[in-house]
């Protein structure tokens, strides 16, 4: 499996200088994308509001980490996994480096931290591809002119995958977190003010 939603989302979060967009909502979106990919691969199911899955290896370190987290939590809900899960954008970036899709480079004295160089380009997004549509929807949450009603309509029409049972719940949790961050006046990076 190529983890299409997770991979496309992370590529989209990389700026031209090789830095990943940061913040709590970003990490939550990465976890949401990973849950959608796990559901598409039929590695997780939902039973009575609880996400269940095996702890088997997936061949993709962030997915294996999330499956282990699901197995360890007796009541792993979508909200828990999306908003408070342990998988981050850095975990997915490291997996892309391990797969030789990206290369990690050390930042400069003025801009410390890791930068990434894309080694393997993805095909252009396609409006007919459910994975690309979902990534586009997730990215819209970062726009200042975000329209919640239009977003809800598009989520309702995005169910063309085996993860259709999960998509509305995952998107709902991302919207709730986005609203909470705005009301709490917490920046997307977790800092105060914005």
């Amino acid at each position: 499996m190529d983890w299409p939603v997770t991979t496309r989302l992370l590529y989209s979060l990389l700026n031209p200088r090789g830095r990943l967009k940061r913040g709590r909502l970003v990490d939550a979106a990465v976890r949401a994308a990973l849950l959608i990919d796990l559901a598409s691969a039929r590695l997780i199911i939902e039973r009575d509001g609880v996400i269940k899955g095996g702890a088997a290896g997936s061949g993709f370190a962030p997915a294996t980490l999330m499956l282990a987290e699901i197995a360890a939590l007796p009541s792993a809900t979508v909200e828990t996994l999306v908003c408070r899960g342990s998988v981050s954008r850095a975990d997915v970036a490291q997996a892309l480096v391990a797969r030789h899709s990206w290369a990690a480079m050390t930042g400069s004295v003025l801009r410390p931290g890791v930068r990434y160089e894309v080694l393997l380009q993805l095909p252009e997004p396609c409006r007919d591809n459910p994975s690309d549509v979902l990534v586009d929807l997730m990215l819209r949450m970062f726009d200042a002119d975000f329209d919640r009603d239009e977003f809800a309509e598009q989520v309702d029409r995005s169910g063309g995958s085996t993860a259709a049972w999960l998509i509305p719940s995952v998107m709902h949790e991302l919207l709730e977190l986005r609203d909470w961050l705005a009301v709490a006046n917490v920046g997307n990076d977790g800092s105060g003010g914005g």
Side-chain angles (χ1 to χ4, degrees):
M1 174 166 183
D2 61 357
W3 309 97
V5 179
T6 307
T7 302
R8 172 77 63 193
L9 179 65
L10 214 69
Y11 269 72
S12 299
L13 294 171
L14 194 65
N15 75 23
R17 292 178 308 281
R19 303 235 183 237
L20 280 172
K21 187 172 186 69
R22 299 179 339 182
R24 293 173 70 175
L25 188 59
V26 172
D27 282 332
V30 168
R31 289 187 291 271
L34 193 52
L35 277 173
I36 291 168
D37 282 336
L38 286 167
S40 294
R42 300 175 198 261
L43 294 173
I44 60 171
I45 59 168
E46 185 262 339
R47 200 173 278 141
D48 299 323
V50 175
I51 303 297
K52 302 283 186 186
S58 64
F60 189 60
T64 301
L65 180 61
M66 183 167 274
L67 286 170
E69 191 171 354
I70 291 167
L73 293 171
S75 58
T77 64
V78 170
E79 188 268 336
T80 301
L81 295 167
V82 169
C83 297
R84 294 189 293 277
S86 63
V87 177
S88 71
R89 67 196 175 283
D91 296 318
V92 179
Q94 289 171 359
L96 291 173
V97 168
R99 289 182 165 205
H100 305 289
S101 298
W102 288 7
M105 301 175 295
T106 306
S108 67
V109 173
L110 297 175
R111 300 255 333 162
V114 179
R115 293 182 313 118
Y116 299 96
E117 179 184 354
V118 173
L119 302 177
L120 179 64
Q121 294 291 335
L122 294 180
E124 287 297 314
C126 175
R127 292 179 190 253
D128 297 331
N129 182 327
S131 299
D132 293 345
V133 171
L134 286 169
V135 171
D136 181 56
L137 285 171
M138 287 181 182
L139 292 172
R140 287 184 191 186
M141 285 188 292
F142 299 107
D143 291 344
D145 60 346
F146 174 77
D147 182 334
R148 190 180 183 112
D149 293 330
E150 179 185 331
F151 180 83
E153 287 175 23
Q154 291 181 347
V155 167
D156 290 341
R157 292 191 309 251
S158 67
S161 78
T162 54
W165 60 270
L166 180 65
I167 293 166
S169 299
V170 161
M171 295 301 194
H172 171 79
E173 293 305 334
L174 288 174
L175 287 175
E176 291 293 310
L177 179 61
R178 182 184 192 275
D179 292 348
W180 181 86
L181 291 169
V183 169
N185 196 26
V186 175
N188 186 35
D189 62 357
S191 64

